[in-house]
Amino acid sequence: MMVPALMLATFAVALFGAAGPALGAEPRVVGLRVGENGDRTRFVIDLDRKLDAEVFTLADPYRLVVNLPEVTFDITGPGQADGRGLIREYRYGLFKPGTSRVVLDLAGPATLDKFFTLSPSGRYGYRLVFDLTETSRQAFIDHVAERRAQNGAGPRRDPVQVPAMGADDGGKPVVVIDPGHGGTDPGTIGVLGRPEKTVVLGIAKTIRDRLEKSGRYEVHLTRDRDIFHSLRNRIRIAHEHQADLFISVHADALDNRNVRGATVYTLSETASDREAAALARKENKADLIGGIDLNTEAPEVAPILIDLAQRRSMNQSARLASFLVGELKQRHVVRTNTHRFAGFVVLKSPEVPSILLETGYLSNPRDARLLESRNGRARVAEAVARAVDSYFDTANATDF
Ligand SMILES: [Zn+2]
C-alpha cells in the first residue's frame, strides 16, 4: 500500500517543478550585456536555464555568431542594440525553426579568447560568457578558414521551410507576399522604436487577407512570424509555390526625416538614381546582417546580370508597378518618381514578375504612425489588391 502513495508524492513534485515560475515551455534569454575590461570585451547572455551554444566567426564584415536552441528573447527593444569595445552592435532573433541566433558585429578582427557558462549566483541566473580580444586580420581569416575546413568546404544550403501546398483550387493565380527582413535581421529601426521587420509583417498579413477575401488568388507569405530568411530562400519559396507574382514589402529610412511616401521598385542592372542604388545595396545586405556566410553561398548575390529569360518577367513587373503606383496615388502618400529601378537580389527570379514595395519611411514620424496603424495597413493593402486585380484583368492568357 506504500507504493501508490510514494508514486503520488513523486508525481506531485514533478508537476510542481514543471509548473514552477522560472521554467516555461521554451527557454528564455532574459538579458544581453556588453562590458569592457582593459583590452577585453565581454558579452554575456543571461538565461533562465542552462543551454548549450555553438559559436563561430564570419569575415567581411567581421562577425561572431552564437547559435542557441529556439528561445524567447525576453528583452524589450527592436532586436538590435549598440555594443562597446570590440563589439560595434548586436542583433538577435529566430534564425530558423529550432535555432535562435545572436549576431555580434565586430569593430575589427577579434578572437574568442574564452567561452564558458556561469551557474546562478546572486541576482544572476545561468550565463553564457564570451570574452573577446583583438587579433590580426590574418589570424581571424585563418580561423574562419580552419573552421570551414572542419565542417567540410563548399556551398551549404540553409534549409528552407516551405508550407505544404494546398489542394488544387482550380488554377487560381498564385501571389507570394514577402515581408522583408525578420529574425536576426531587424531591417531599419523606426523613429517610434519599432523595427521594419515587425511593421512590414503587419502590412504583408493585411495584404494577404485582402487578396484572399476576393477569392481570386492563392496567396502565400514567405514568413508569417519573426524569423530570418536569406534572400535566396525568399526566391526559392516563390518558385516552390509556382508564384505568378512576387511582392516584397519593406519600409525605408533616410537621414532626412521630412521625406515620406511610398516607392515601387523593379529590377534593373543600373539604378534609376543614386538613392535607389543605395537602397538596393542596403536591402541586399540582409543576408550579412542576419548572419549568413556569403563565402559558402552560391554566387547569386553577385552583381545582377539580366538575361533574356528575365526580360519578359521584367516587362510584367513594370506593368504591375505602374498599376500599383496609380492605386497608391489615390489612397496613400507617394514619393515623386514613384516607380524606380535598382539591382535588388530578392527581385531576381527569372520567371516570376517581382516588385519591391517600400511602403513609406519609418524615419518620418507621420509615415511611421500611418504604417503602424490599421488604417494605414488597410490603405496599402487596398492599393496592392486593386493593382493585382488590374494586372490579371489585363494580362492575356499567354502571360501566365
Ligand atoms: Zn527593407
Side-chain angles (χ1 to χ4, degrees), residues 110-127:
T111 187
L112 185 62
D113 187 43
K114 285 194 193 121
F115 164 38
F116 53 94
T117 302
L118 288 174
S119 296
S121 108
R123 62 193 178 100
Y124 294 113
Y126 282 103
R127 285 149 289 165

Side-chain angles (χ1 to χ4, degrees), residues 22-184:
L23 300 184
E26 197 167 76
R28 291 185 306 135
V29 168
V30 295
L32 296 170
R33 294 179 281 137
V34 191
E36 270 182 288
N37 185 0
D39 55 2
R40 187 174 291 265
T41 301
R42 174 169 284 193
F43 189 76
V44 180
I45 301 179
D46 291 300
L47 302 163
D48 75 336
R49 71 193 71 177
K50 197 171 178 181
L51 287 182
D52 289 330
E54 183 203 12
V55 191
F56 57 93
T57 44
L58 298 173
D60 305 318
Y62 301 116
R63 286 157 293 164
L64 182 99
V65 176
V66 183
N67 278 345
L68 298 167
E70 189 167 330
V71 297
T72 300
F73 287 93
D74 214 344
I75 298 168
T76 48
Q80 175 177 307
D82 289 338
R84 56 197 292 188
L86 295 168
I87 299 168
R88 197 161 48 75
E89 189 177 85
Y90 59 90
R91 292 174 298 280
Y92 49 89
L94 187 59
F95 183 70
K96 62 185 181 193
T99 306
S100 290
R101 179 172 275 195
V102 181
V103 183
L104 312 183
D105 284 330
L106 305 176
T111 187
L112 185 62
D113 187 43
K114 285 194 193 121
F115 164 38
F116 53 94
T117 302
L118 288 174
S119 296
S121 108
R123 62 193 178 100
Y124 294 113
Y126 282 103
R127 285 149 289 165
L128 290 169
V129 181
F130 308 84
D131 278 344
L132 294 162
T133 54
E134 210 172 329
T135 187
S136 66
R137 173 167 172 85
Q138 195 54 51
F140 189 96
I141 300 286
D142 288 350
H143 185 76
V144 172
E146 187 185 314
R147 181 184 167 272
R148 195 163 293 138
Q150 280 168 10
N151 286 354
R156 180 189 55 202
R157 294 168 74 87
D158 42 327
V160 59
Q161 298 290 316
V162 176
M165 301 285 278
D168 190 335
D169 52 10
K172 284 180 187 172
V174 178
V175 182
V176 171
I177 310 291
D178 172 48
H181 313 277
T184 43

